[in-house]
Amino acid sequence: MSLFKPMENLGDEPQEKNEQKPQEREHVKCLILGSGPAGYTAAIYAARANMEPVLYQGMEPGGQLTTTTDVENFPGYPEGVSGPQMMEDFKKQAERFGTDIRWGMATAVNFDKMPREVVIDDKKVIEADTVIIATGASAKYLGLEAEKKYAGSGVSACATCDGFFYKGKDVAVVGGGDTACEEALYLAGLARKVYMIVRKPYLRASKIMQHRVMNTPNIEILFEHETKDLYGDGVVEGAILVKKRGTPEEEEVKLKIDGFFLAIGHKPNSEIFQEYLETDEVGYIKTVPGTTRTNVEGVFACGDVQDKVYRQAITAAGTGAMAAIEAERYWAEKYAQTHPA
Ligand code: NDP
């Protein structure tokens, strides 16, 4: 299901009788959309640069990290930290410098307008001199009840985040693309055995990734297998797979595993921007290499909504800092003379 609604009813055109036009308007120097590591880091930098940022938290306050357990790879936390706690720390730090953090999500935009316009919750229009998009991406899940039941107790969509907890254990990775291969290879360095559950009789991944996976002794690929369910007493103890579904050889197979990793793709939360911003075929917002600038002046993108390669909290935070610095420089060049702070 889409996180955002498509753009509608913006601009000065007369509205149909019964349509409600967003009424309330507010002007801000810097609007940040999203509250993961990218959004909050952008807020910390923008607030300290006197950009008076307003941040809308979006649908999942704190972002994807609020769904993980311990974060052990973010520098500065030598003992590790829980995902939700870390995001609370990010939030407090952004608040400390005066970021105006609000509930609500962007439901439409008009980037033809100057200042840029963003509609919040279908009712309020924010006119923003600069917009920083940090709306993230969402991992795709299969849609099984069991994925919710065992979330954080054996089910994960991030091997780099959670793989360490499966040292010496048996795990499965679902998917046959580059991400699945990368996750399987990463896990193979930690786990005793890694199964790849692939629904087709072949991998979709690039040849080089296929080659690496095939040549890793503790990875076993289960082609033409689909996941029907997971079982276990409080934590994942195994998966029930269907082999060769829809053929005369169809059979159910039990696979004993301790961890079940989804790697069937991510969906960047970029729908409402796609009319204005260049994206790749999946929807990741394109930025000018080495910057967070989009094709629309004054609009910057950071974090997972523009990153399909690294997708780490630390890299998201890094691009968040870049976005704020670039937004501040843009603002200083464009607006400092006309409406100084
Ligand atoms: P992909 O869409 O390429 O692959 C998704 C995989 O998951 C496919 O094997 C697909 O199966 C499978 N899948 C999807 N839905 C289901 C389902 N419901 N049940 C079972 N299996 C399912 O996504 P990736 O995240 O792997 O890659 C996205 C893009 O990012 C690609 O362009 C990739 O090349 C790129 N990428 C590049 C990397 C690199 O260069 N290092 C690293 C990671 C990603 P099927 O094939 O049957 O459709």
Side-chain angles (χ1 to χ4, degrees), residues 154-159 162-163 166 171-175 183 187 259-263:
V155 171
S156 168
C158 178
D162 299 326
Y166 298 92
V171 298
V173 177
V174 187
E183 304 274 87
L187 288 166
F260 183 78
F261 288 82
L262 280 307

Side-chain angles (χ1 to χ4, degrees), residues 142 174-180 182 199-200 204 263-266 281 308 311:
L142 296 170
V174 187
D178 280 326
T179 302
E182 263 192 355
R199 65 181 173 184
K200 295 217 172 107
R204 184 200 283 216
I264 59 171
H266 281 76
E281 62 292 346
K308 69 177 174 197
R311 293 196 288 247

Side-chain angles (χ1 to χ4, degrees), residues 9-255:
N9 295 341
L10 274 175
D12 299 319
E13 296 80 15
Q15 304 297 305
E16 294 295 325
K17 256 189 185 162
N18 294 324
E19 279 181 23
Q20 284 199 334
K21 187 179 177 187
Q23 291 297 329
E24 206 185 330
R25 295 182 91 85
E26 178 185 0
H27 177 263
V28 303
K29 273 160 94 172
C30 179
L31 175 66
I32 300 172
L33 303 173
S35 56
Y40 280 139
T41 305
I44 293 164
Y45 275 73
R48 296 185 78 254
N50 215 16
M51 289 287 281
E52 300 157 19
V54 169
L55 180 150
Y56 279 93
Q57 291 183 305
M59 185 147 135
E60 189 177 37
Q64 288 183 69
L65 275 180
T66 57
T67 64
T68 63
T69 48
D70 288 348
V71 179
E72 295 185 330
N73 55 7
F74 199 94
Y77 291 102
E79 307 303 327
V81 60
S82 80
Q85 181 59 52
M86 187 168 98
M87 293 323 300
E88 200 46 44
D89 291 344
F90 269 70
K91 182 169 179 251
K92 272 194 208 141
Q93 197 170 347
E95 277 169 337
R96 184 179 149 209
F97 299 109
T99 307
D100 183 348
I101 298 172
R102 304 176 182 176
W103 287 95
M105 61 188 264
T107 46
V109 299
N110 187 341
F111 288 161
D112 285 337
K113 291 284 189 74
M114 212 53 148
R116 309 301 178 191
E117 290 189 351
V118 177
V119 180
I120 303 296
D121 293 334
D122 289 324
K123 46 178 194 271
K124 176 169 183 166
V125 179
I126 303 281
E127 298 170 355
D129 295 341
T130 60
V131 179
I132 295 178
I133 300 171
T135 46
S138 309
K140 289 189 198 160
Y141 285 80
L142 296 170
L144 303 173
E145 267 307 307
E147 288 169 318
K148 288 185 204 147
K149 181 174 165 192
Y150 297 109
S153 306
V155 171
S156 168
C158 178
T160 327
C161 316
D162 299 326
F164 187 74
F165 305 112
Y166 298 92
K167 234 175 171 177
K169 298 187 171 173
D170 293 351
V171 298
V173 177
V174 187
D178 280 326
T179 302
C181 289
E182 263 192 355
E183 304 274 87
L185 288 164
Y186 179 80
L187 288 166
L190 296 164
R192 191 178 72 97
K193 173 107 189 178
V194 180
Y195 298 95
M196 286 184 76
I197 303 170
V198 181
R199 65 181 173 184
K200 295 217 172 107
Y202 55 86
L203 294 174
R204 184 200 283 216
S206 54
K207 286 279 174 283
I208 183 157
M209 294 302 272
Q210 293 193 29
H211 181 78
R212 283 186 197 152
V213 160
M214 306 275 189
N215 285 287
T216 303
N218 62 337
I219 298 180
E220 181 179 340
I221 307 177
L222 305 174
F223 286 112
E224 293 181 86
H225 280 70
E226 290 175 35
T227 312
K228 185 178 172 193
D229 206 356
L230 301 171
Y231 62 88
D233 188 6
V235 294
V236 169
E237 292 172 18
I240 297 164
L241 310 180
V242 180
K243 187 176 171 184
K244 298 199 174 209
R245 188 192 291 277
T247 71
E249 301 115 277
E250 175 172 325
E251 60 170 313
E252 253 182 46
V253 187
K254 255 186 164 182
L255 185 68

